[in-house]
Amino acid sequence: MAATSLSSKHHSPSSSPTMLLGTRAFPMNNKTARGLIRCELSSSSVSALQQLKKSAIDRYTKERSSIVVIGLSIHTTPLEMREKLAIPVAEWPQAISELCALNHIEEAAVLSTCNRMEIYVLALSQHRGVREVTQWMSKRNGILVSDICHHWFLLYNKDATQHLFEVSAGLDSLVLGEGQILSQVKQVKEKLRNGFGMVIPGLFEKAITAGKRARAETGIASGAVSVSSAAVELALTKLPPGSSSSATMLVVGEGKMGKLVIKHLVAKAIQEEMIPSGVEIVYKPLDEMLACAGEANVIFTSTASETPLNVGSCVTESEGTQVYNVDDLKEVVAANKEDMARKAMEAQDIITEETKKFEAWRDSLQTVPTIKKLRRKTDRIRAASVEKFMSKYGKDMDKKTKEAVEDLTQAMVNKILHGPMKHLRCDDTENRPLPETLENMEALNRMFELELELLEEKIRAKMEQK
């Protein structure tokens, strides 16, 4: 069956995943990194940081990082290229480490199977992040950047989120509603429970929720939607009640359709527990077809022959025999397709709802760095003031008095910060609209010049990484 997708965005669909997550700290080229490290080590670090704050690098302290997916799928990419791009399980850690070491990549996730290769990243610069990841893919797999770009699809932020949710729900698979991809997402997420950043792990966690809801609330994972599966469904409904478990099925033809019929028969038998001990498949040469037909309760013919092999028009006149052709299946197939289309639309509504929830959750994360920066800055000012006071008056103080000064100044800072912190919280303790909270965050960033705090934090992270 051809892949079905009801998404309104423009991208190429694909099939099932495997992934690993990871993070890194700071986006700079080597030249810039060396310059920043020197600034941190110099005696006039604050002055140097102020100069950097006015430079082009300042955009990284103000612009929000972007979720980006760079994907190549079975629908747009040749098998040979997909095989070269595939990342074996044993190489996941190294691949993620390399991705997170790229200058503009903070977090990363890799989904790689024979049907799809998708890389999700949290990038400080969309353009630079895509370029770095593409160059990494080219270098790692020996494929020209131009060839990768010819087959890829790119999605950003909300579109990238919606795409992953559709993948998890089975809307972007070769078989609509298939469940393997969801189990793979759940398996990998379980392995990467701790660490690896916040945004990308959160994205995949919410994707699992969307996939579960789509299947549970719409039934999209069940139902026949192809000619072969419809033929099996129709045949089983025409058998006398209770006879399906002992029926002998004959499939004439070993082409694609014949194999699909066998696949659906076996799946149905296992699903309905019609044959608890297993399914026996016996292959016979074509010259034994008539003998086999005489023993069969149901016969499926699916050959490319232009003339009838054993189902002539006279068969309909035979007593106890019923004949159904492709035209008889149209109603079954149409009914199933209509049902699946309805379920897909319902699943799309769920995905839209879950996408909005994820976006709101991601927006709420913006206040976390501001809270940390504000706390760190006030603690540093308090500590510097106490140290200056002690150097002048502390000589005549005993240990208990010095501790009292520490406690008093800490209590004063906590009381001063209580109001600002309260207006930055995005949890259940404060019933405040998110837009209002984000406005408060931006105001505090301006008033306390907290962008500089973020730059210093990134410098420290880069130094630790080096």
Side-chain angles (χ1 to χ4, degrees), residues 245-246 266 269-281:
S245 61
S246 59
V266 173
I270 295 174
Q271 178 183 347
E272 301 294 336
E273 297 184 349
M274 294 188 298
I275 311 176
S277 60
V279 179
E280 182 181 10
I281 301 176

Side-chain angles (χ1 to χ4, degrees), residues 307-348:
T307 58
L309 292 179
N310 66 343
V311 188
S313 58
C314 61
V315 175
T316 58
E317 302 172 3
S318 177
E319 185 177 353
T321 302
Q322 294 177 291
V323 179
Y324 302 92
N325 58 30
V326 173
D327 288 344
D328 297 311
L329 299 179
K330 288 182 179 179
E331 183 177 348
V332 177
V333 175
N336 278 293
K337 283 188 175 180
E338 182 179 348
D339 180 56
M340 292 302 287
R342 176 184 57 80
K343 292 177 179 178
M345 289 295 293
E346 294 174 359
Q348 197 68 52

